[in-house]
Amino acid sequence: MASCKEIYAYLETLLPISLRCAWDNDGIMVCASPHTEVFRVLTAVDITDEVIEEGIAKDVQLILSHHPLLFHPLKSVTADDVSAGKVIRLLQAGIAAFSFHTRLDAAQGGINDLLAQQLGLTQTEPFGLPDAQMG
């Protein structure tokens, strides 16, 4: 088994931070302890309430998502706020959450390459050109 820290380090070798657009917020969203051993991982496009419930039911230690759970800074952490409420639930359940939004889009063989291939597109340009990174 691997720890959250080890899994994140490995994923950063595949999806380096240099691929992230400057306006994006990706990476570690929630992690109570980097030393938590990970036995089960759930993947999702978005970390919705249903995804969190599935993660709890399946006893996962990590959720990997495309879209960031937290895009804007939290001003408070209360259950009344939708994003903060999700963070609280994840922490209470002992589930870490990592997101790799634009890194997954820009990576060679990543989301955009797969979509272009499925659509039969042949004249494409890499995502995340310098203008896109200026945000």
Side-chain angles (χ1 to χ4, degrees):
M1 295 308 129
S3 69
C4 284
K5 181 178 182 177
E6 292 167 331
I7 292 171
Y8 190 78
Y10 173 71
L11 290 170
E12 278 204 317
T13 66
L14 301 175
L15 304 163
I17 201 161
S18 61
L19 294 177
R20 177 187 354 178
C21 288
W23 51 262
D24 199 9
N25 184 44
D26 71 357
I28 299 172
M29 298 285 116
V30 175
C31 186
S33 171
H35 305 292
T36 297
E37 290 293 315
V38 177
F39 300 94
R40 289 182 194 85
V41 177
L42 178 63
T43 61
V45 173
D46 294 297
I47 300 178
T48 62
D49 290 329
E50 293 79 13
V51 167
I52 294 171
E53 286 304 314
E54 182 177 350
I56 293 168
K58 292 185 176 178
D59 193 29
V60 305
Q61 293 77 44
L62 174 62
I63 297 175
L64 293 177
S65 72
H66 182 104
H67 295 129
L69 171 62
L70 302 171
F71 197 78
H72 301 288
L74 295 175
K75 297 194 186 252
S76 65
V77 181
T78 66
D80 295 339
D81 179 85
V82 173
S83 294
K86 290 177 184 179
V87 170
I88 292 167
R89 289 182 60 220
L90 289 166
L91 289 169
Q92 289 173 334
I95 300 174
F98 302 163
S99 303
F100 291 95
H101 191 211
T102 51
R103 291 195 241 180
L104 276 169
D105 291 332
Q108 187 171 13
I111 300 294
N112 287 347
D113 287 348
L114 293 172
L115 288 171
Q117 181 183 22
Q118 289 297 310
L119 294 170
L121 303 177
T122 57
Q123 295 180 344
T124 62
E125 294 181 15
F127 175 83
L129 296 173
D131 288 344
Q133 292 186 11
M134 298 306 282

